[in-house]
């Protein structure tokens, strides 16, 4: 008995993940994007080397929590960093990365405020130096019925919440992305100019305190690329991806349930809770299955994205 390793739900069993032969085949993915193999490599090698050096200075890579996911095969890094939802830049996933040039992500103060004893304004690098950093591999399931498997670097959000000491009346926590009209072309794009910028999201306090909820500052052992939400984003793996707000600058403790960006744009399509649930279709498409982005393979979607063991208790009667 003593030798039985009980794996938490964020361990992704081999049978559920993309076979290596398939995920290594980027041609199919590129064909889906309408791009040829000549498009690779995506970034000039000098840029990649500079990014890697900057990451190393900040202590990356941090130790992966191998107790939970020793055999996981990941989505190809070049796909995770070139197929992005970040509407501040573009509605077109493949264009996002190309439009991030003017986005300044350092210095990056994060403000923690509202109903708490210790409000603070702290730069992300200082925060990283104070927090228990680790790497964890999670599934990311987008409401658009595609998914990825990503090695995030970050720390449990609960650790920051404990530092701020929310008051008893604080029942929700609201997050806001930077507000940068001059750096975000999406603000002036006629298709998205009317969106209620800056992007904002929220969680119940018990969801925010759940050990799975991370504030991520890196992927693939390096600092977050701009298109993935540099320098700090939320990761809530049992909820649809739009809850995982990018490039966070404000975290606020509040007493009543805040509105969220997508709920404001489409309350019937993107409700506050937004837990991954294959039995509840989006009004315009099924959520029963999902497409793995790099291979195009379709797999069954799991309730709470496979993390029910950790979060089902938060939703009694669901
Ligand atoms: N955060 C901001 N600020 N703006 C966005 O448009 N898109 C969300 C989420 N966080 C979004 C955001 C959506 S819809 C998804 S699926 C994930 O980011 C995508 O994260 P990724 O590009 O790292 O895969």
């Amino acid at each position: 008995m003593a030798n039985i390793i009980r794996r938490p739900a964020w361990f992704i069993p081999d049978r559920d993940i993309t076979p290596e032969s398939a995920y290594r085949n980027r041609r199919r993915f590129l064909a889906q994007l309408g791009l040829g193999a000549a498009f690779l490599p995506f970034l000039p090698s000098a840029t990649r080397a500079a990014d890697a050096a900057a990451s190393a200075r900040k202590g990356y890579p941090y130790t992966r929590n191998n107790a939970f996911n020793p055999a996981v095969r990941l989505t190809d890094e070049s796909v995770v960093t070139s197929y992005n939802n970040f509407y501040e830049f573009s509605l077109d996933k493949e264009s996002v990365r190309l439009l991030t040039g003017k986005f300044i992500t350092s210095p990056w103060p994060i403000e923690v405020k509202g109903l708490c004893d210790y409000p603070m304004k702290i730069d992300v690098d200082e925060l990283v130096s104070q927090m228990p950093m680790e790497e964890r591999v999670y599934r990311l399931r987008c409401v658009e019925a595609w998914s990825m498997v990503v090695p995030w670097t970050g720390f449990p959000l609960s650790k920051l919440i404990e530092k701020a000491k929310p008051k008893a009346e604080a029942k929700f926590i609201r997050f806001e992305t930077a507000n940068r009209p001059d750096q975000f072309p999406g603000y002036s794009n006629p298709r998205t100019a009317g969106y209620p910028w800056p992007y904002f999201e929220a969680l119940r306090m018990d969801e925010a305190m759940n050990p799975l909820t991370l504030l991520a500052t890196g992927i693939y052992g390096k600092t977050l690329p701009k298109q993935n939400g540099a320098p700090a984003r939320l990761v809530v793996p049992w909820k649809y991806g739009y809850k995982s707000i990018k490039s966070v600058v404000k975290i606020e403790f509040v007493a009543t349930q805040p509105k969220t960006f997508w709920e404001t744009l489409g309350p019937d399509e993107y409700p506050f809770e937004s837990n991954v649930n294959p039995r509840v279709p989006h009004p315009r498409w099924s959520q029963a299955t999902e497409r793995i982005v790099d291979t195009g393979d379709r797999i069954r979607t799991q309730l709470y994205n496979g993390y029910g063991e950790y979060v089902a208790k938060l939703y009694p009667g669901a």
Side-chain angles (χ1 to χ4, degrees):
M1 284 296 282
N3 287 332
I4 295 174
I5 299 168
R6 198 168 153 274
R7 287 171 170 153
W10 63 69
F11 170 79
I12 301 168
D14 263 359
R15 65 174 180 281
D16 285 355
I17 59 171
T18 315
E20 187 150 3
S21 57
Y23 92 79
R24 292 224 172 272
N25 181 1
R26 294 186 210 158
R27 275 166 200 263
R28 233 165 110 189
F29 168 74
L30 290 170
Q32 281 169 1
L33 296 186
L35 302 169
F39 197 67
L40 289 173
F42 293 118
L43 291 172
S45 57
T47 311
R48 280 200 306 255
D51 287 351
S55 295
R57 275 199 303 281
K58 293 178 180 179
Y60 293 78
Y62 288 88
T63 308
R64 181 178 299 176
N65 207 331
N66 277 316
F68 304 121
N69 49 14
V72 160
R73 294 186 201 111
L74 309 168
T75 301
D76 192 284
E77 181 179 351
S78 67
V79 175
V80 172
T81 56
S82 61
Y83 185 83
N84 299 102
N85 274 340
F86 204 162
Y87 294 114
E88 284 85 338
F89 295 100
S90 176
L91 287 172
D92 175 34
K93 297 182 195 346
E94 303 96 68
S95 300
V96 169
R97 180 185 57 84
L98 307 169
L99 293 168
T100 56
K102 287 190 184 155
F103 184 29
I104 297 167
T105 58
S106 179
W108 193 272
I110 297 178
E111 195 180 1
V112 181
K113 60 181 196 171
L115 300 170
C116 61
D117 290 344
Y118 301 110
M120 63 186 107
K121 201 165 196 177
I122 182 167
D123 192 82
V124 69
D125 290 341
E126 175 64 18
L127 191 59
V128 164
S129 74
Q130 293 182 14
M131 289 288 144
M133 300 292 288
E134 62 173 290
E135 185 171 276
R136 283 193 203 175
V137 177
Y138 283 160
R139 305 166 196 273
L140 175 73
R141 170 61 157 84
C142 180
V143 72
E144 298 163 339
W146 54 260
S147 65
M148 299 173 167
V149 179
V150 181
W152 302 100
T153 302
F155 59 86
L157 181 67
S158 62
K159 300 293 176 196
L160 178 58
I161 294 176
E162 282 160 13
K163 252 176 149 359
K165 271 203 183 256
K167 297 184 189 298
E169 316 87 270
K171 301 290 184 221
F172 295 87
I173 182 164
R174 184 183 183 277
F175 305 86
E176 205 172 284
T177 294
N179 189 7
R180 306 265 178 88
D182 52 329
Q183 297 174 28
F184 292 156
Y187 277 38
S188 47
N189 181 325
R191 292 171 71 196
T192 48
Y195 283 14
W197 308 113
Y199 197 101
F200 50 104
E201 254 306 337
L203 295 172
R204 289 180 355 204
M205 194 60 95
D206 57 352
E207 295 173 331
M209 289 297 290
N210 187 277
L212 288 180
T213 304
L214 295 183
L215 197 66
T217 57
I219 51 173
Y220 296 90
K222 290 164 274 186
T223 49
L224 273 172
K226 292 178 182 178
Q227 62 271 28
N228 292 91
R233 68 175 290 175
L234 203 63
V235 181
V236 194
W238 71 97
K239 293 181 180 286
Y240 291 118
Y242 57 86
K243 300 292 288 187
S244 293
I245 180 173
K246 295 177 169 181
S247 306
V248 171
V249 292
K250 269 186 215 159
I251 299 178
E252 185 176 4
F253 300 103
V254 296
T256 52
Q257 184 174 307
K259 278 266 175 283
T260 66
F261 181 86
W262 283 106
E263 193 190 9
T264 306
L265 283 168
D268 301 335
E269 306 205 336
Y270 311 105
F272 180 88
E273 189 172 273
S274 301
N275 291 332
V276 175
N277 189 339
R279 295 191 299 267
V280 178
H282 183 279
R284 289 182 281 135
W285 59 82
S286 165
Q287 293 292 19
T289 63
E290 64 203 51
R291 177 178 55 87
I292 300 174
V293 283
D294 52 355
T295 64
D297 292 342
R298 209 154 255 288
I299 56 170
R300 271 184 299 113
T301 288
Q302 299 180 59
L303 182 62
Y304 302 120
N305 204 19
Y307 299 100
E309 185 184 350
Y310 292 89
V311 300
K313 59 180 179 286
L314 298 175
Y315 312 103

